[in-house]
Amino acid sequence: MSMSDPLGDMLSRIRNGQRAHKPVVRSPASKIRTNVLEVLQREGYIRGYSREVVRPGISELAIELKYVDGEPVIREISRVSTPGRRIYSRISDLPRIYNGLGIAILSTPRGVMSDNEARVANVGGEVLCRVF
């Protein structure tokens, strides 16, 4: 059976892994997941990620979670735009997450980027998720 929301599934795996204090969580690989993980790594919310081949044609992402003094760096991670309800935002209407302490991850015509990068690039798009 196919998954209806692959990005939401990965975010739930990250959330559940941090609640269980796991050092690494695994998720099936895809381009959108890799792009979102790239933004999370660039912004300092995860240590890193690597793509591992399970068998020919099937890859998996190993996501290294980040902790500071035993507490997870990501306090809150949630999906905004879902397959049934897409949320788009102009550059002027981009949300500020916790007054700039958190980030929103957007899918723009220039690729997946954080809300700060989108403001600098002066481009809006679909709000995928929010992280604090």
Side-chain angles (χ1 to χ4, degrees):
M1 186 168 134
S2 66
M3 195 178 309
S4 65
D5 188 11
L7 183 58
D9 175 66
M10 183 186 75
L11 298 178
S12 293
R13 288 174 191 238
I14 291 173
R15 188 180 317 111
N16 294 340
Q18 287 200 322
R19 285 187 182 154
H21 294 285
K22 300 277 185 189
V24 176
V25 292
R26 299 185 182 283
S27 177
S30 72
K31 282 185 183 179
I32 188 74
R33 290 177 182 186
T34 304
N35 292 337
V36 169
L37 288 175
E38 185 66 38
V39 172
L40 288 174
Q41 183 178 4
R42 214 172 29 237
E43 295 290 330
Y45 286 102
I46 61 172
R47 286 195 189 282
Y49 68 96
S50 61
R51 189 180 188 115
E52 300 171 355
V53 177
V54 176
R55 58 183 184 266
I58 306 291
S59 294
E60 184 173 81
L61 295 167
I63 307 161
E64 297 176 47
L65 302 177
K66 191 173 182 180
Y67 300 93
V68 174
D69 298 330
E71 291 296 315
V73 172
I74 299 174
R75 293 184 184 172
E76 179 185 321
I77 186 166
S78 60
R79 186 84 155 102
V80 175
S81 185
T82 61
R85 182 171 174 245
R86 302 290 186 189
I87 307 293
Y88 296 96
S89 180
R90 293 188 194 119
I91 188 70
S92 59
D93 300 333
L94 276 179
R96 286 215 178 264
I97 310 301
Y98 289 105
N99 205 19
L101 294 176
I103 64 167
I105 299 177
L106 283 84
S107 176
T108 68
R110 295 189 187 171
V112 177
M113 57 179 69
S114 70
D115 58 346
N116 296 329
E117 295 167 337
R119 282 187 187 90
V120 170
N122 197 24
V123 64
E126 181 183 356
V127 183
L128 297 175
C129 62
R130 46 184 272 166
V131 184
F132 172 66

